[in-house]
Amino acid sequence: MKRRAVQLSPGTGKPEQIATVLEREIRSGVLGFGDRLQSENELVQRFSVSRNTIRKGLEELSSRGLITTKVGIGSFVTFDGMPVDDAVGWSRALANAGANAETRTLRLEVIEDAELAILLDVESPFFIAVDRVRTNASDGHAISVERSRLPLSPELEDVPLRGLREGSLHQTLRGAGLIPDHGEEWVDIEMLNADDAAILGCPQGTPFLRGRRLTRAADERPIEYVTSLLNPAHFALHMRF
């Protein structure tokens, strides 16, 4: 249920004020035993504060003994059964999972994509396109293709000219002060079209996992939208609940 926006007062700590508002709703019966709180995104909008402030408010509410945190459904990609922790960057994550991968950059340039701008709700239709293919270093068989789209910004405008920092998109973003805070990911199956099949060295129509991942900064600013084609001989989606 949508609840009215709350204007916090100056002076008193915002996390404490948020905890007090939610405590009042719990004790008054607006929120009953076992009810879920609003999502972090909804609370961010309701209180007009950062995600970090909301989390501190929830920690305060928990310390008052009024809420408990339950681990919900989680999902992550695995490579040959090993979790891929891409918080350290995709290349390093694959290496940590045991992949013997070689990476080749197919594209690094500024493009215009009005449809993506609408999808990400950004004003400018200009993005930096970073397309890369990864193959097994031993026998050359396909591992993945990733197509990253970065909203063009002053922090990144020279990337197409100077290249990626240390060859890493992860390092490039962090060097520009663009730190992912949260995001969303969708996974489905896609049959390789002729172009992708040629890049990956696989027959056209081969089924690959398709991942679409959107990462945002703490202020909700989109940082990266990447579409990946992952060889199902290596990759799988693992769910925990």
Side-chain angles (χ1 to χ4, degrees), residues 12-14 17 22 34-35 86 89 93 98 103 129 131-133 135 151-152 172 177:
T12 309
K14 290 181 179 180
Q17 291 186 63
L22 296 176
D35 286 351
D86 59 2
T103 303
D131 296 355
R132 291 167 294 176
V133 59
T135 55
L152 186 61
T172 300

Side-chain angles (χ1 to χ4, degrees), residues 14-210:
K14 290 181 179 180
E16 290 76 15
Q17 291 186 63
I18 292 168
T20 298
V21 170
L22 296 176
E23 178 180 2
R24 189 181 305 123
E25 292 180 350
I26 292 170
R27 294 193 183 281
S28 67
V30 173
L31 286 169
F33 178 79
D35 286 351
R36 290 184 178 183
L37 295 176
Q38 292 171 285
S39 69
E40 285 189 359
N41 280 339
E42 290 172 327
L43 291 171
V44 163
Q45 295 176 12
R46 182 183 179 195
F47 290 98
S48 298
V49 295
S50 70
R51 184 178 296 270
N52 190 49
T53 299
I54 290 296
R55 289 174 179 168
K56 290 180 179 178
L58 295 178
E59 289 173 4
E60 172 64 24
L61 195 61
S62 179
S63 72
R64 298 180 189 182
L66 292 169
I67 63 170
T68 58
T69 301
K70 180 179 179 181
V71 177
I73 293 175
S75 62
F76 51 91
V77 171
T78 63
F79 182 89
D80 289 346
M82 297 294 293
V84 178
D85 178 15
D86 59 2
V88 298
W90 191 242
S91 295
R92 182 176 297 179
L94 287 177
N96 291 344
N100 183 21
E102 287 185 340
T103 303
R104 179 165 55 94
T105 299
L106 304 173
R107 186 185 197 186
L108 178 56
E109 62 183 359
V110 175
I111 64 168
E112 184 175 0
D113 191 333
E115 290 186 4
L116 183 57
I118 293 172
L119 176 66
L120 302 187
D121 193 24
V122 296
E123 292 184 4
S124 173
F126 295 101
F127 297 84
I128 297 175
V130 186
D131 296 355
R132 291 167 294 176
V133 59
R134 302 182 198 271
T135 55
N136 182 275
S138 298
D139 60 17
H141 75 261
I143 292 178
S144 65
V145 167
E146 300 112 42
R147 295 184 172 93
S148 296
R149 300 295 179 262
L150 317 172
L152 186 61
S153 64
E155 300 97 324
L156 298 173
E157 60 185 5
D158 62 340
V159 168
L161 295 177
R162 62 177 172 81
L164 299 178
R165 183 175 181 178
E166 299 177 15
S168 166
L169 182 54
H170 177 79
Q171 293 296 333
T172 300
L173 292 172
R174 277 157 178 73
L178 300 174
I179 311 298
D181 178 77
H182 60 284
E184 301 173 85
E185 186 164 15
W186 304 264
V187 178
D188 54 20
I189 300 294
E190 180 167 297
M191 305 301 179
L192 294 182
N193 60 33
D195 291 339
D196 289 330
I199 292 171
L200 290 162
C202 297
Q204 184 176 348
T206 300
F208 263 55
L209 288 176
R210 181 182 68 157

Side-chain angles (χ1 to χ4, degrees), residues 215-232:
T215 54
R216 296 181 182 272
D219 62 1
E220 298 296 330
R221 174 183 178 183
I223 293 179
E224 178 188 14
Y225 182 80
V226 56
T227 301
S228 303
L229 294 175
L230 310 173
N231 189 339

